[in-house]
């Protein structure tokens, strides 16, 4: 048995868990009983992109293991300060498909709304590490503009709430957004892209289940889970609640060197997700963002891993290997 960190998260609301997230590398290292030798590098990484990890997520890490696959996703390291050619500040050049504040309309039939610039956790590999997106999200006036834009584009049938993490915002606000969207007749589906059910499973509140499933829009949730160890009993039951309420559950994973870059790890993840009624959707190659080059798995290696995964898993447990290419009108799928 692995030795995990005891944590008392059960008595705290999700908002309290958010606001008490660990925000200093020394606290993260101390909680896990790790050596201060790691601190200098962690502080240099932290200066590039703030540390942020809720205790619920830390509780699933192994005490004393500097190579824990969850820890490596959130502990800043010295390598983040490296300048590696091809790794840039804004790898997706998203600013260019931004018809109105908080709206990204790149793909036919679907449109993405940036509901919240905030995240519950700061993942070191995130392409948003240089743009917390604080000034490109939906406030009062930009919300009305987004609604008008969607109303005018009658071929849009699906709205995707994204961020940051859209669930970092209140149920009250989300309920209002969904109700207004549901009045637009050509919309059929509401999709939420979120990592919060993984990071703080208590975020799956009764209120959330209610606003997500009480309109005529078909609810889809795409969670972001990278490793089987992220799914403990609390996460499993949060996912089961969503499923029972009628939400279609899919997962996207980022392929990360030293964390999940082998067929066994991905197969275990797929099987554990399926036990919680989640199907694998996308396996993303890393976006080439400055400071994340040490996580990169090259395309050839990724294809090898995929072939092995296909040999080990039934087809429905194999995600699609994709990469985002700036300016392309869809995710680019990579043949295996
Ligand atoms: C990924 C993504 C979508 C949704 O793409 P699907 O292939 O439908 O999952 C929509 N808009 C943006 C900007 C995206 O990055
Ligand atoms: S957007 Fe997703 S990957 Fe990026 S920091 Fe937030 S939760 Fe992590």
């Amino acid at each position: 048995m692995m030795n995990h960190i005891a944590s008392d998260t059960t008595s705290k609301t999700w908002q309290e868990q958010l606001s008490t997230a660990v925000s200093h590398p020394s606290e993260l290292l101390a909680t896990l009983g790790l050596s201060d030798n790691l601190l200098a590098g962690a502080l240099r990484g932290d200066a590039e992109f703030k540390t942020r990890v809720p205790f619920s997520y830390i509780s699933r890490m192994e005490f004393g293991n500097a190579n824990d696959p969850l820890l490596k996703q959130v502990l800043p390291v010295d390598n983040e300060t490296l300048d590696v050619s091809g790794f840039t500040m804004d790898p997706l050049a998203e600013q260019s498909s931004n018809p109105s504040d908080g709206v990204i309309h790149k793909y036919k039939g679907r449109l993405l709304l940036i509901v919240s610039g905030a995240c519950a956790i700061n993942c070191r590999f995130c392409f948003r590490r240089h743009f917390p997106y604080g000034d490109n999200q939906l406030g009062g006036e930009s919300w009305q503009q987004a609604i008008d834009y969607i109303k005018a584009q009658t071929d849009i049938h699906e709205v995707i709430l994204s961020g940051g993490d859209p669930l970092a915002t209140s149920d009250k606000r989300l309920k209002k957004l969904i109700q207004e969207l549901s009045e637009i007749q050509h919309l059929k589906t509401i999709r939420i892209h979120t990592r919060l059910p993984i990071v703080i499973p208590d975020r799956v509140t009764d209120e959330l289940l209610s606003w997500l499933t009480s309109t005529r829009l078909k609810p889809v949730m795409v969670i972001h889970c990278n490793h089987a160890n992220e799914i403990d009993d609390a996460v499993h039951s949060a996912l089961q609640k969503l499923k029972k309420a009628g939400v279609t559950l899919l997962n996207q994973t980022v392929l990360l060197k030293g964390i999940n870059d082998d067929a066994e790890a991905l197969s275990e993840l797929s099987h554990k997700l399926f036990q919680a009624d989640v199907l694998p959707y996308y396996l993303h190659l890393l976006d080439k963002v400055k400071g994340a080059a040490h996580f990169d798995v090259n395309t050839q290696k990724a294809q090898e891993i995929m072939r092995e995964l296909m040999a080990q898993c039934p087809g429905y447990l194999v995600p699609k290997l994709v990469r985002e290419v700036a300016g392309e009108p869809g995710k680019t799928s990579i043949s295996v």
Side-chain angles (χ1 to χ4, degrees):
M1 272 307 288
M2 292 201 302
N3 180 9
H4 290 282
I5 314 304
S7 83
D8 172 32
T9 54
T10 47
S11 57
K12 286 190 174 144
T13 64
W14 70 268
Q15 291 94 336
E16 287 165 343
Q17 293 180 51
L18 258 187
S19 62
T20 55
V22 167
S23 59
H24 198 286
S26 64
E27 191 184 355
L28 182 56
L29 292 172
T31 308
L32 291 161
L34 290 170
S35 156
D36 268 352
N37 294 343
L38 297 166
L39 187 58
L43 288 173
R44 282 191 288 272
D46 181 82
E48 302 276 316
F49 182 43
K50 279 293 305 162
T51 303
R52 183 172 174 79
V53 204
F55 275 106
S56 164
Y57 191 80
I58 297 172
S59 74
R60 289 165 251 158
M61 297 174 187
E62 189 188 3
F63 189 81
N65 181 5
N67 283 317
D68 182 276
L70 276 57
L71 177 67
K72 283 169 104 173
Q73 296 181 53
V74 295
L75 177 68
V77 294
D78 213 9
N79 274 341
E80 295 175 35
T81 61
L82 295 177
D83 228 326
V84 178
S85 100
F87 287 76
T88 61
M89 297 289 272
D90 182 15
L92 305 185
E94 277 204 327
Q95 273 71 354
S96 60
S97 37
N98 206 196
S100 128
D101 269 357
V103 178
I104 301 177
H105 190 192
K106 275 209 292 205
Y107 300 165
K108 196 168 157 29
R110 340 160 242 165
L111 167 143
L112 195 138
L113 295 179
I114 297 174
V115 170
S116 159
C119 276
I121 191 167
N122 283 347
C123 310
R124 309 315 299 176
F125 49 83
C126 184
F127 76 94
R128 291 170 202 274
R129 51 183 286 138
H130 304 291
F131 297 96
Y133 279 68
D135 48 0
N136 183 16
Q137 55 176 296
L138 296 165
E141 208 174 296
S142 51
W143 171 245
Q144 194 49 52
Q145 281 166 11
I147 290 279
D148 292 344
Y149 181 81
I150 298 167
K151 278 185 182 156
Q153 312 274 317
T154 54
D155 67 329
I156 297 173
H157 54 82
E158 175 170 17
V159 168
I160 301 166
L161 305 187
S162 183
D165 198 310
L167 295 186
T169 188
S170 73
D171 285 320
K172 190 169 161 229
R173 177 164 174 247
L174 289 160
K175 180 178 180 179
K176 196 158 164 273
L177 300 191
I178 303 284
Q179 274 170 352
E180 287 186 43
L181 290 171
S182 71
E183 283 160 21
I184 303 175
Q185 285 314 308
H186 51 271
L187 291 184
K188 303 272 184 276
T189 305
I190 183 78
R191 191 196 314 181
I192 319 271
H193 278 193
T194 176
R195 188 148 158 73
L196 253 159
I198 299 297
V199 178
I200 302 178
D202 287 335
R203 178 62 187 91
V204 181
T205 57
D206 292 343
E207 271 170 290
L208 179 151
L209 297 172
S210 157
W211 60 253
L212 184 53
T213 60
S214 63
T215 72
R216 63 174 187 85
L217 299 173
K218 215 141 177 60
V220 180
M221 186 177 280
V222 181
I223 60 168
H224 172 180
C225 184
N226 294 325
H227 195 279
N229 292 2
E230 292 181 348
I231 308 173
D232 64 357
D233 290 346
V235 170
H236 180 92
S237 40
L239 296 170
Q240 295 278 280
K241 278 191 209 167
L242 286 157
K243 170 71 179 185
K244 285 207 180 91
V247 181
T248 296
L249 293 172
L250 303 169
N251 179 58
Q252 49 186 347
T253 297
V254 180
L255 187 58
L256 297 165
K257 190 175 185 172
I259 293 172
N260 60 14
D261 60 337
D262 62 80
E264 287 69 31
L266 293 173
S267 167
E268 194 190 346
L269 172 60
S270 278
H271 281 93
K272 210 156 171 191
L273 284 165
F274 185 65
Q275 288 308 309
D277 289 299
V278 185
L279 287 174
Y281 182 37
Y282 283 141
L283 178 63
H284 290 263
L285 288 183
L286 188 80
D287 295 321
K288 293 193 179 292
V289 63
K290 182 177 181 301
H294 55 292
F295 289 116
D296 193 40
V297 177
N298 70 41
T299 308
Q300 195 191 331
K301 173 91 191 286
Q303 289 166 316
E304 281 164 23
I305 294 170
M306 282 295 294
R307 283 193 291 268
E308 232 182 288
L309 187 62
M310 286 161 79
Q312 287 186 19
C313 284
Y316 63 90
L317 293 187
V318 179
K320 233 200 271 185
L321 183 63
V322 293
R323 127 177 339 122
E324 292 243 28
V325 179
E328 290 287 314
K331 298 209 194 320
T332 305
S333 106
I334 298 162
S335 60
V336 180

